[in-house]
Amino acid sequence: MNYAKISQVAHYAPRQVVSNDDLAEIMDTSDEWISSRTGIKNRHLSSDETTSDLATKVAENLLQKSGISAQDLDFIIVATITPDSLMPSTAARVQANIGAKNAFAFDLTAACSGFIFAISTGEKFISSGRYQKGLVIGSETLSKTVDWLDRSTAVLFGDGAGGVLLESASEQHFLAESQFTDGSRGESLTCGKIGLSSPFSKKGENQPYLTMDGRAIFDFAIRDVARSIKETIESSQLSAEDLDFLLLHQANIRILDKMAKKLGVAQEKLPANMMEYGNTSAASIPILLSECVEQGLIKLNGNQIILMSGFGGGLTWGTLIVTI
């Protein structure tokens, strides 16, 4: 049997930090209004770095930490909804930037579930026995998708990137997974709508900005996502008590609080960092994972059981349970 494991982690965020007080100077909001509703205090915004720049920093970090050569990589997957361009892909730009000439590369678009979908895909590549090493990165520059006059969305999002090195392993590390999409509710969270512009058809309406029905997304997370996490735990023949940490998408501190209660786990098992980064979509889980390793909470010694769950636009949601 062929197996895959997470062998290294890294993250990167732009240097510019914008606080809630900074936002209060350009829109009708306040630190109290934002932090009390979301838990967010700061976010990192990119002024001169693209999505591929952020992802490249993570890739370089992963290679340096692991001591492997870029030419040893078999694949690069970048989860993002804010690519530099539709083509070439962000992953192709990263491949070129680091000189990974033997790796195939592509982007995966699943919004805030993107990293979960991407790492599941990478695990299947390695488990096939054909590939040995690959990078899975979530990278976003969401600051270019929000309407900075709309306080209901602009205050929530930030820029950043995080990722992992996947390698072949002799033992099973991926214990359970679930992945879902419900396109019938997709209009609850949209970004980058492109209308028809053919001379032979009526022009549709372009909507470049991110739009969100906050209540619908909150209810979706508390109801559908919490239920799927429970079912995934049950399918693994583990209990919630067996999990060392649950790394959930960093959208809102209230969601994490309610999730802890619904799942019957201590809040200490649900680390949070949206206070510093805001919602970074596909980058939020790998940034959190990397920070937990930096802080010594997660050891990368193969002895801890970690649950990761993403949820958001699509609507999409997915959960992985891994030993790390």
Side-chain angles (χ1 to χ4, degrees):
M1 293 290 291
N2 301 294
Y3 300 107
K5 67 177 180 179
I6 296 171
S7 60
Q8 196 51 261
V9 300
H11 71 283
Y12 176 79
R15 290 182 299 275
Q16 182 182 16
V17 178
V18 176
S19 69
N20 292 342
D21 289 333
D22 293 330
L23 292 181
E25 295 181 5
I26 63 171
M27 64 180 69
D28 181 17
T29 192
S30 67
D31 174 61
E32 190 281 331
W33 191 91
I34 299 169
S35 59
S36 65
R37 288 164 173 78
T38 68
I40 298 168
K41 301 288 287 186
N42 298 305
R43 70 281 299 145
H44 293 244
L45 301 185
S46 174
S47 58
D48 58 359
E49 294 173 300
T50 64
T51 298
S52 65
D53 289 334
L54 304 186
T56 297
K57 295 280 191 182
V58 170
E60 291 171 342
N61 244 336
L62 289 168
L63 294 176
Q64 182 180 17
K65 286 181 174 182
S66 64
I68 71 169
S69 165
Q71 296 182 21
D72 293 331
L73 296 173
D74 296 305
F75 60 85
I76 300 170
I77 307 173
V78 174
T80 186
I81 56 170
T82 54
D84 296 11
S85 57
L86 295 180
M87 57 181 178
S89 68
T90 302
R93 294 178 186 274
V94 173
Q95 185 241 30
N97 289 344
I98 65 174
K101 64 180 184 180
N102 297 317
F104 63 90
F106 63 93
D107 290 355
L108 188 150
T109 304
C112 304
S113 307
F115 180 73
I116 299 299
F117 283 27
I119 200 171
S120 173
T121 301
E123 184 263 335
K124 304 303 182 298
F125 284 144
I126 291 179
S127 294
S128 73
R130 187 167 183 174
Y131 308 105
Q132 304 299 310
K133 294 178 175 65
L135 302 184
V136 178
I137 299 170
S139 185
E140 304 283 13
T141 50
L142 291 160
S143 58
K144 65 187 179 185
T145 71
V146 297
D147 178 356
W148 286 98
L149 299 178
D150 177 11
R151 74 168 186 171
S152 68
T153 57
V155 302
L156 302 177
F157 298 95
D159 303 338
V164 301
L165 171 64
L166 288 180
E167 294 192 80
S168 59
S170 58
E171 298 178 351
Q172 185 176 12
H173 290 258
F174 284 72
L175 307 180
E177 72 170 60
S178 61
Q179 297 175 82
F180 302 93
T181 300
D182 184 357
S184 67
R185 290 185 283 171
E187 294 302 306
S188 299
L189 181 52
T190 68
C191 183
K193 283 187 177 181
I194 301 174
L196 299 174
S197 58
S198 163
F200 305 102
S201 62
K202 294 181 180 179
K203 291 185 177 181
E205 181 183 358
N206 292 335
Q207 174 50 269
Y209 296 127
L210 189 150
T211 64
M212 180 174 64
D213 180 342
R215 171 50 59 183
I217 296 301
F218 188 92
D219 291 344
F220 150 69
I222 298 305
R223 182 179 62 250
D224 300 84
V225 179
R227 180 172 62 247
S228 73
I229 290 175
K230 283 184 177 181
E231 292 172 351
T232 307
I233 296 172
E234 291 170 0
S235 73
S236 71
Q237 299 184 335
L238 298 167
S239 68
E241 289 73 27
D242 295 322
L243 303 174
D244 290 288
F245 292 102
L246 294 83
L247 308 185
L248 307 190
H249 170 52
Q250 300 292 291
N252 187 305
I253 194 65
R254 290 181 174 179
I255 291 178
L256 296 193
D257 291 343
K258 288 187 176 292
M259 286 284 199
K261 293 177 182 177
K262 277 185 168 284
L263 298 173
V265 298
Q267 287 186 332
E268 292 74 24
K269 286 193 173 185
L270 275 68
N273 67 358
M274 87 278 292
M275 299 78 74
E276 176 62 21
Y277 297 99
N279 182 341
T280 55
S281 191
S284 78
I285 294 173
I287 291 175
L288 181 62
L289 172 60
S290 179
E291 286 203 325
C292 285
V293 172
E294 275 192 353
Q295 296 163 8
L297 296 176
I298 296 176
K299 309 296 185 182
L300 289 182
N301 59 10
N303 293 325
Q304 291 173 296
I305 301 176
I306 308 298
L307 181 145
M308 299 182 286
S309 187
F311 46 90
L315 297 177
T316 61
W317 61 110
T319 299
L320 289 171
I321 300 177
V322 300
T323 57
I324 190 172

